[in-house]
Amino acid sequence: MKNFAPIAEDATTYREVRGLTRGLAVLRALNEMPGGVGSVTDLARHTGIHRTTVKRLLETLRGEGFVHQKDEGTFYSLGFEVRRLSEGYVAVDWIDQVAAPAMKDHLRALSWPSDLATPDGGFMIVRESTHRASLLSQHRATIGIRIPMLVSSLGRAWLSWCDVEEREATLALLRVRTDAIGALARDGDYVKRIIRETRKRGYSMNRGEWASEASVVAIAFPILVGHHAIGAINLVLQQNVVSDREIATRYVPRLRALSNEISAGVAGSVRG
């Protein structure tokens, strides 16, 4: 009898399970709704999925405990099973153990929302955020969002204090892009000026340079281990609400204190 080796199955041979994809889209949309509550119409509009399909998906999710009905079935909210499912997620230890508690503790003093991000593939990826808890936030959910590197305070803070080799590798990734970010990365004078001004100021800033957040002014400090940045934390404010003087005298010192606390906590955990 001949022995046949098992045939390796390529993941690309599997077809997408459309119902699962749509169910996840509904959960994501519900998570982004104010208060985590939305109607069938709201969710259909947000996802682009037909109302009848959204209703069917919601009832399936309700049967599994992932959503609950509210207000006599008019609205749906996330259920406990979503939280329980997330218990298996393991984040970078310093973010969960050091950064998240510190951000929560400083929220009252800062008032405005903060994002903590780390670099990944030429972007800053938001790993922790206080947008959900801040009354001044314009966004409900930002965790997982990719932030452009050269036009955001988060990206500028990390680039200005990261290891030189990491900076050059990141800029090499950005230079091959065909969009506006690629053009900026290829402008050596622009990159040098941004880094020079950021280091001289002691923190980074963007004032509407990120087109999708044109009304925002954001400041950011690096999260340092030794002399090199492993991430950055920002404070997101509205340009027409907060003056430059208030930013400099009130919010810069408070965000610096938060970044220093996180950096010290990370350094301590590394030594441990």
Side-chain angles (χ1 to χ4, degrees), residues 5 7 30 38 49 52 77 112 114 138 156 160 168 173 192 216-217 227 251:
I7 299 174
L30 194 55
I49 302 172
T52 303
S77 64
W112 294 91
S114 291
Q138 301 296 308
R156 290 172 174 179
S160 297
E168 289 308 312
L173 280 176
K192 290 178 182 176
V216 161
V217 56
H227 299 292
Y251 293 110

Side-chain angles (χ1 to χ4, degrees), residues 103 113-120 122-129 131 142 144-162 170 194 198 203-207 210 216-223 229-236 255 259:
M103 292 170 71
S114 291
D115 296 303
L116 183 142
T118 59
D120 189 330
F123 290 88
M124 297 297 289
I125 309 298
V126 176
R127 309 293 187 183
E128 186 57 65
S129 174
H131 273 274
T142 60
I145 288 179
R146 301 196 304 171
I147 307 292
M149 187 69 69
L150 285 169
V151 296
S152 68
S153 63
L154 286 167
R156 290 172 174 179
W158 179 78
L159 275 176
S160 297
W161 278 279
C162 69
T170 299
I194 289 295
T198 298
Y203 60 93
S204 64
M205 175 178 280
N206 76 281
R207 188 180 296 278
W210 184 10
V216 161
V217 56
I219 57 175
F221 282 88
I223 303 301
I230 60 171
I233 188 165
N234 72 2
L235 190 66
V236 182
L255 186 62
S259 69

